[in-house]
Amino acid sequence: MTNLNTKTDPILIDMPMPIETPRLTIRPAMPGDGAVVYEAIEETKDALKRWMPWINAHTDVNHTEGVCRKAYADFILRKDAMVYAFDKETKNFVAASGLHRFDWETCRFEIGYWVRKSEQGKGYATEIANALTRYSFNALNARAVMIGHADGNEASKNVITKLGFDYEGCTKCAEKLPNGDIVDSHSFSRINLDGLPDLDVRWQT
Ligand SMILES: CC(C)(COP(=O)(O)OP(=O)(O)OC[C@H]1O[C@@H](n2cnc3c(N)ncnc32)[C@H](O)[C@@H]1OP(=O)(O)O)[C@@H](O)C(=O)NCCC(=O)NCCS
């Protein structure tokens, strides 16, 4: 059903899930995920409060459950693709990620991510962003995939650099951090998979 160069109703575009990587199962955020995601957000609050503006709206588990349900609706409507990554062995929630701010005419997708504190520094963000990059080009016929980070977010910059994205440039005063500071934003992109580190990534075809 996927035909991204016509006026296909986006709801008919296939987005095969789950995505399997060596260590993770990645699938859309769904109703019922609220409790585990809330727990991971609480664990990771300090880092999230530094970089993720949505943390200011994070109040209680019901809010998080609402976010999961809306995300699932948006996934079905093909308006946004928020995904959660779970450890294949323990089944524990590891990270949130997704393809955002896309439209099906340009087929340019933006990857975002955060990893729960207890799982940071183990290469998970790099594994997830690699997988979503492959998925974007091979399953969704992406023309471009971008990742951005706020000025000063070195951990995110390292993920992007390790994946060989090209630097597009700096947009001045483009990001409002949770504390209200306005900072520059750095954008990186790929237009193909050339040079992307090897990774065994699968999804249903
Ligand atoms: C950014 C983030 C997603 C990285 O997740 P992660 O799973 O720890 O990332 P990875 O382990 O795949 O890779 C991170 C790399 O950055 C390095 N790194 C981590 N913190 C760093 C820091 N403060 N400064 C410099 N490098 C750092 C790690 O050592 C690693 O590099 P290495 O593999 O060469 O050792 C995580 O720190 C996070 O969730 N931060 C809060 C939310 C956020 O900032 N999201 C990104 C918004 S653009």
Side-chain angles (χ1 to χ4, degrees):
M1 195 61 66
T2 305
N3 185 345
L4 305 177
N5 295 321
T6 68
K7 296 286 181 190
T8 305
D9 183 340
I11 206 166
L12 296 175
I13 295 169
D14 292 333
M15 294 185 77
M17 293 280 171
I19 302 168
E20 303 281 353
T21 72
R23 296 183 291 172
L24 300 166
T25 298
I26 301 168
R27 53 110 171 125
M30 295 181 74
D33 286 336
V36 290
V37 177
Y38 178 78
E39 184 190 296
I41 293 172
E42 285 290 301
E43 175 188 307
T44 317
K45 234 174 180 174
D46 288 347
L48 298 175
K49 273 185 173 169
R50 192 146 177 231
W51 300 115
M52 309 302 267
W54 54 259
I55 193 68
N56 288 335
H58 168 80
T59 48
D60 57 26
V61 67
N62 287 330
H63 171 81
T64 310
E65 177 62 22
V67 169
C68 295
R69 293 182 185 199
K70 180 166 185 306
Y72 188 60
D74 285 346
F75 177 76
I76 297 294
L77 293 169
R78 303 298 189 248
K79 288 180 171 175
D80 188 76
M82 188 193 288
V83 294
Y84 292 151
F86 297 86
D87 185 303
K88 273 181 164 173
E89 284 183 12
T90 64
K91 314 292 181 205
N92 289 338
F93 174 90
V94 171
S97 185
L99 299 173
H100 307 299
R101 288 178 275 276
F102 56 80
D103 75 66
W104 294 104
E105 297 268 326
T106 58
C107 266
R108 175 181 158 103
F109 299 86
E110 176 173 346
I111 295 175
Y113 40 67
W114 63 270
V115 175
R116 74 182 306 164
K117 187 178 176 191
S118 55
E119 301 290 356
Q120 288 181 9
K122 300 178 183 175
Y124 281 123
T126 308
E127 186 166 322
I128 293 165
N130 188 327
L132 289 183
T133 302
R134 291 176 187 281
Y135 182 83
S136 298
F137 285 111
N138 291 339
L140 305 179
N141 294 341
R143 289 196 180 85
V145 175
M146 72 86 59
I147 309 180
H149 72 81
D151 197 51
N153 192 340
E154 294 302 315
S156 184
K157 180 181 176 182
N158 271 331
V159 171
I160 302 166
T161 307
K162 279 192 287 183
L163 294 174
F165 277 61
D166 295 324
Y167 188 53
E168 284 190 341
C170 171
T171 309
K172 292 290 178 188
C173 304
E175 290 215 26
K176 185 177 179 185
L177 299 180
N179 70 359
D181 285 355
I182 307 290
V183 297
D184 298 347
S185 172
H186 299 280
S187 300
F188 300 75
S189 67
R190 278 185 158 277
I191 54 167
N192 54 46
L193 296 173
D194 292 355
L196 188 68
D198 286 344
L199 187 72
D200 184 12
V201 184
R202 295 157 196 235
W203 53 85
Q204 286 181 344
T205 50

